[in-house]
Amino acid sequence: MATLYLIEQGAEIGCDGERIVVRRAGEIIGSVPLVKVDDIVIFGNIGISTPAIKRLLDRGIEVTFMTVDGSYQGRLVGQITAHVALRQAQYACAADSERTLRLAQSFVEGKLRNQRVLLQRFSRNRATPPAEALAAADDLDAYIKRVRRTTRLSALLGLEGSATARYFAGLRSLIGPEWDFRSRQRRPPPDPVNLLLSFGYTLLAHKTLGAVQAAGFDPYLGFLHSLDYGRPSLALDLMEEFRPLLIDSLVVRVCNDGRLRLEHFQPGDEVRPVIITDEGRRAFLTAFEERMRTEATHPEGADSGPGKVTYQRCIALQARRLARVIRGQQERYEPFTAR
């Protein structure tokens, strides 16, 4: 099954028998069998009928609502899974500063290791490897060695921030100069590359949120990310190790291989300095879903050990691995890292 993305402004979602039907101005512009849909993501001004909502809830198909430019707004979900014991263990773990620190260290270490792999992998594929990317990869080694020696969460966050800034300085050299990507900036994204990174991270957070909910966690109580009203901190924790592999690598690829072009972006205003066109958004969403379906070797991908599974499945397996650690069935959380 797959995620159904809807970006046609003014459209209306309904159900006709066992199919989702999308209409605009009374005309059908799309239709897909319910059995082929895992979840739905709606961008902007798109309506959904009450019968459709009920049918989707009955089928366990979640609906995520975003603004037209890709900012998260909310989520329509069915009944919460009854994993009371896991959630009790999660709350107890979060109250234990030592266990919280160990988990936070694992999330950061996984992220930095995958950042280093990305820089090395893309550099090896160049006839002339960018010196800045290779230097950043070497510097990340030193940051990785410091992670387990950092014994305060605030210091760990500072380490992660410094390492990530160094990483993006190296990543910059892997993207064509015409994109004018200088540094990572989020609020608001001032250029097309930053916009794609932010958009991709929002999509990835949607995927990890679904994984931690399916595993039975309270997604709002994390270990690396602090408690904040309305923020799915645990989903953001799990997302860290996958950022470089699924979003950063994707942005480098689509900017360099022509799937996204500068004409897919338009100047905006102070709130949204740069805007992606509908054509560009479709191209990026298609590339994102292709990336999620790409297979990688996971240590638990097969019944008897390592095996190839999609990245979507990798995220679910990592959520289950985290659940075993929280329950005390496994001592240490091992982040998913690429080779």
Side-chain angles (χ1 to χ4, degrees):
M1 293 190 292
T3 299
L4 176 62
Y5 296 97
L6 297 172
I7 67 173
E8 298 290 340
Q9 300 304 289
E12 176 84 15
I13 303 170
C15 278
D16 184 1
E18 294 302 309
R19 300 183 69 88
I20 294 173
V21 178
V22 182
R23 292 181 172 87
R24 186 175 58 193
E27 294 186 4
I28 295 177
I29 60 173
S31 175
V32 62
L34 281 165
V35 71
K36 292 187 176 182
V37 178
D38 186 45
D39 60 335
I40 298 174
V41 180
I42 295 174
F43 293 89
N45 182 30
I46 297 174
I48 180 169
S49 69
T50 300
I53 290 174
K54 292 180 178 178
R55 182 67 61 83
L56 295 172
L57 290 174
D58 288 341
R59 289 299 189 91
I61 297 174
E62 299 180 358
V63 182
T64 299
F65 296 91
M66 297 191 184
T67 64
V68 70
D69 60 338
S71 298
Y72 177 80
Q73 288 186 301
R75 191 179 181 94
L76 174 68
V77 299
Q79 289 185 331
I80 298 175
T81 53
H83 292 276
V84 176
L86 174 60
R87 295 191 177 207
Q88 287 178 325
Q90 179 186 359
Y91 302 144
C93 183
D96 186 326
S97 59
E98 184 176 342
R99 293 185 70 192
T100 292
L101 177 64
R102 288 202 302 269
L103 284 169
Q105 288 171 333
S106 293
F107 296 133
V108 171
E109 184 176 348
K111 177 182 183 178
L112 300 189
R113 287 187 181 279
N114 287 329
Q115 287 178 340
R116 182 185 60 185
V117 166
L118 183 149
L119 294 175
Q120 293 171 335
R121 182 179 293 173
F122 277 94
S123 295
R124 285 196 300 265
N125 293 334
R126 302 291 179 91
T128 304
E132 190 173 4
L134 293 176
D138 289 341
D139 289 343
L140 282 173
D141 274 327
Y143 283 109
I144 292 168
K145 292 174 182 176
R146 290 171 53 191
V147 169
R148 296 290 169 180
R149 301 199 301 265
T150 305
T151 57
R152 290 184 296 110
L153 186 59
S154 59
L156 180 65
L157 290 168
L159 172 68
E160 184 271 334
S162 298
T164 297
R166 183 68 187 97
Y167 159 74
F168 276 113
L171 189 75
R172 177 180 57 191
S173 66
L174 299 174
I175 300 174
E178 68 275 13
W179 291 94
D180 196 28
F181 175 59
R182 301 181 183 182
S183 63
R184 175 69 179 127
Q185 300 178 57
R186 299 181 298 162
R187 298 174 183 170
D191 56 71
V193 173
N194 271 295
L195 185 150
L196 290 176
L197 289 168
S198 293
F199 187 27
Y201 294 151
T202 300
L203 295 173
L204 183 56
H206 156 72
K207 298 287 188 181
T208 56
L209 176 58
V212 298
Q213 285 181 319
F217 284 108
D218 179 344
Y220 296 95
L221 181 65
F223 303 98
L224 174 64
H225 292 85
S226 61
L227 182 65
D228 192 8
Y229 183 79
R231 181 171 70 179
S233 296
L234 187 63
L236 300 181
D237 286 355
L238 185 64
M239 174 175 138
E240 291 298 329
E241 64 210 64
F242 290 101
R243 283 178 186 254
L245 300 177
L246 296 180
I247 303 305
D248 303 349
S249 65
L250 177 62
V251 171
V252 172
R253 287 187 174 96
V254 299
C255 288
N256 289 338
D257 65 14
R259 280 180 286 179
L260 268 295
R261 302 181 300 278
L262 288 175
E263 53 262 38
H264 286 134
F265 301 88
Q266 300 172 349
D269 51 29
E270 291 183 1
V271 177
R272 298 165 61 197
V274 60
I275 299 171
I276 188 170
T277 65
D278 284 350
E279 181 184 357
R281 186 180 290 109
R282 288 191 188 96
F284 188 75
L285 289 171
T286 298
F288 173 76
E289 282 300 314
E290 289 175 355
R291 187 63 180 158
M292 293 301 300
R293 292 194 296 269
T294 300
E295 291 190 340
T297 300
H298 191 280
E300 300 166 14
D303 292 339
S304 57
K308 281 188 171 292
V309 294
T310 65
Y311 274 114
Q312 178 75 60
R313 179 63 176 162
C314 284
I315 294 173
L317 290 172
Q318 287 302 112
R320 294 184 181 183
R321 176 178 279 187
L322 180 59
R324 291 197 299 273
V325 174
I326 297 299
R327 292 192 185 101
Q329 299 167 337
Q330 187 173 317
E331 183 176 354
R332 177 174 168 173
Y333 175 75
E334 294 291 341
F336 176 79
T337 53
R339 302 297 178 187

